[in-house]
Amino acid sequence: MVPEGACRALLEGQVRPMHSEGVCVKRVMVLVMTVAAALTGAAVTAGGAASAGVPAQQSQGVTSSEIKVAGITDTNGADAALGARVRFDQQNAAGGVNGRKITLVETANDKDDPATNLSEVRRLVTQDGVAAVVPVQTPVTAGDYLKQAKVPFFGWGVSPAYYKNPYGFGFTGALVPPTTSSASDTWGKLIDQLYKSQGVSSGAKGKTAAAISQDNSAGKKGIVVIGAAAKAAGMKVVYQKAPIPAGSPPGDYTPFVQALMTSDNGNQPDVIFVVTQFNYTLPLSSLLETSGFKGVLTNAVAYDPRLATSVKGQTVFTQFDVPEDTSNPNMVKITKALTDGLKGKSLSQPVLAGYFTADQFVQAVKKAGKNPTSASIQKAASKLTYQIPGVVGATKYPTSYTYGAPCGTLVQSDGTAYKIAAPYHCYENITVPGLKPIPY
């Protein structure tokens, strides 16, 4: 295993990943799920939930001056708490919500373990006495427990725990349905826009695409929905497989690279979607580049300004706008708030996700009225359309219990920094197969 310091150096762009590297972390970044979950289809570790210890219906966590919340993250999503605190600090500086300040009492770490997730969430509810669990930045949310406890939770909906759970609220909706019957065409359409920005009038139409993932449930479902997104943009899918062993990254990616590089009747495809966990993505992508891949190499997990020097030429799909967009005044305000509040820390995907999660919660509390409770916050959120124009959403509840908001941005590294390759835009959810639009 690569030492923690080396992983930190990798994230800080001090070293370039090589294909012989092994695991950097146990399960790097909650963004692993985004690969498939952002396209509304890949199942990740379900939020397990025993019912033991479920408290009775309550209005805990709220006083005349305070609303108490606590968060839960996995090891690599901990920075979500930084973004959430910035948003809560903003609101509190403006007087809170109807005179009540929002206090993030702690953010627990589930250490990438479902059992720990459940025990920590139960502790937050029963011992900390919180009105809601915010932010949630982990795929193993104890959703059943929180549903039985009647405590709402807000986060990034990259777990089955959000799907049709009346107490689970993702700032971009429920992204992991139990089947691959639906998808978002967003990633494919953003690639189409990338080609058009490069002067290709037909965009992605007629281009060949390959999608590769790990040999597990998430990967197998992920390549199905990503294949659908590619087809919806007019691409011909020539490779759609999950051959990479799950569990720990392989020592040599050469067989997978060779298969990809010859997948278009012996030739390179035009686009390769790398649908793997973060600690697989960098070494696989690096070897593809050094092996001479000339097309569009894209993933959904490597957006972090510290990585730009290590992923030159690669594109990353995000579900929301990013700080590199200086033309959107709403994003500019958010970037300034985060930059001022975090004092030099990187504005990574977990940081941004934490900010949006907290903002969604603030909007729900405002809608809950002058005397909010866990119950009234849940009721308000269940009918809330969450949006920051041009940045994230619209995420429309109750529809978003079933579908995600089909929106996103494509960024590309120039070797120094990320640049906007295709601006934030909302597209459509589609059926799989059939590719027919689903009203949202």
Side-chain angles (χ1 to χ4, degrees):
M1 180 175 287
V2 179
E4 182 179 347
C7 292
R8 187 179 299 111
L10 175 62
L11 281 172
E12 292 173 353
Q14 297 170 13
V15 296
R16 182 174 180 79
M18 298 302 293
H19 69 277
S20 61
E21 289 183 347
V23 182
C24 249
V25 287
K26 289 181 180 178
R27 196 178 78 219
V28 184
M29 302 173 77
V30 71
L31 306 177
V32 52
M33 298 75 57
T34 307
V35 174
L39 297 170
T40 64
V44 192
T45 306
S51 60
V54 174
Q57 172 66 24
Q58 58 190 294
S59 58
Q60 66 177 24
V62 181
T63 69
S64 60
S65 61
E66 181 186 46
I67 300 172
K68 290 200 303 181
V69 301
I72 181 78
T73 75
D74 63 8
T75 301
N76 298 286
D79 282 357
L82 300 176
R85 286 187 187 280
V86 168
R87 180 62 187 95
F88 290 149
D89 286 348
Q90 278 184 306
Q91 193 63 41
N92 292 340
V97 180
N98 291 319
R100 293 178 177 85
K101 293 191 175 183
I102 300 171
T103 302
L104 179 58
V105 294
E106 68 167 303
T107 304
N109 186 336
D110 68 16
K111 300 179 181 178
D112 309 321
D113 177 63
T116 301
N117 179 272
L118 177 58
S119 63
E120 284 294 87
V121 168
R122 182 188 289 119
R123 180 180 63 80
L124 298 178
V125 173
T126 59
Q127 294 184 20
D128 285 355
V130 296
V133 180
V134 189
V136 175
Q137 185 83 0
T138 172
V140 287
T141 311
D144 287 347
Y145 168 79
L146 289 167
K147 178 180 177 180
Q148 293 172 47
K150 294 182 169 56
V151 174
F153 59 101
F154 294 74
W156 202 347
V158 292
S159 159
Y162 293 83
Y163 184 75
K164 294 187 177 180
N165 184 337
Y167 286 84
F169 302 96
F171 67 87
T172 54
L175 302 173
V176 188
T179 69
T180 54
S181 61
S182 64
S184 160
D185 65 3
T186 305
W187 201 351
K189 292 295 179 66
L190 289 169
I191 297 293
D192 179 66
Q193 291 302 309
L194 170 65
Y195 275 115
K196 288 178 179 177
S197 72
Q198 295 173 343
V200 180
S201 60
S202 58
K205 186 176 182 180
K207 300 293 184 182
T208 55
I212 188 169
S213 191
Q214 295 147 247
D215 185 14
N216 55 23
S217 177
K220 290 176 181 178
K221 292 184 179 182
I223 58 173
V224 171
V225 295
I226 289 165
K231 291 174 184 177
M235 293 181 243
K236 178 184 178 182
V237 178
V238 297
Y239 183 98
Q240 193 173 1
K241 298 181 181 180
I244 304 174
S248 62
D252 184 7
Y253 288 86
T254 300
F256 314 117
V257 169
Q258 290 176 340
L260 289 167
M261 294 286 282
T262 58
S263 59
D264 185 12
N265 293 319
N267 300 312
Q268 298 183 18
D270 297 304
V271 181
I272 295 179
F273 293 87
V274 178
V275 194
T276 55
Q277 292 177 237
F278 178 84
N279 50 331
Y280 290 69
T281 298
L282 294 183
L284 175 57
S285 298
S286 177
L287 185 57
L288 280 164
E289 287 187 318
T290 58
S291 298
F293 180 65
K294 303 299 183 183
V296 176
L297 183 56
T298 189
N299 69 76
V301 299
Y303 174 74
D304 187 315
R306 294 169 292 184
L307 287 176
T309 57
S310 299
V311 293
K312 182 178 180 180
Q314 296 181 34
T315 68
V316 184
F317 164 54
T318 69
Q319 284 187 282
F320 36 78
D321 202 17
V322 292
E324 287 78 9
D325 183 4
T326 58
S327 64
N328 183 336
N330 288 330
M331 191 69 236
V332 170
K333 289 178 182 178
I334 293 168
T335 300
K336 184 179 187 308
L338 287 169
T339 301
D340 292 347
L342 300 183
K343 303 186 187 307
K345 290 186 178 292
S346 179
L347 305 191
S348 63
Q349 277 197 8
V351 167
L352 292 165
Y355 183 95
F356 299 137
T357 296
D359 188 60
Q360 182 189 30
F361 178 72
V362 168
Q363 299 309 313
V365 174
K366 288 181 177 179
K367 190 174 180 179
K370 293 184 177 181
N371 296 296
T373 63
S374 291
S376 66
I377 292 169
Q378 181 275 332
K379 183 177 180 180
S382 71
K383 299 177 182 179
L384 178 70
T385 294
Y386 173 65
Q387 180 180 25
I388 301 175
V391 175
V392 62
T395 303
K396 308 171 184 177
Y397 279 93
T399 304
S400 289
Y401 284 129
T402 306
Y403 300 108
C407 310
T409 304
L410 194 71
V411 297
Q412 186 170 33
S413 170
D414 64 3
T416 301
Y418 283 106
K419 306 291 184 183
I420 304 293
Y424 180 85
H425 191 75
C426 293
Y427 296 92
E428 291 181 307
N429 290 315
I430 54 176
T431 60
V432 180
L435 309 181
K436 297 186 181 299
I438 298 173
Y440 179 72

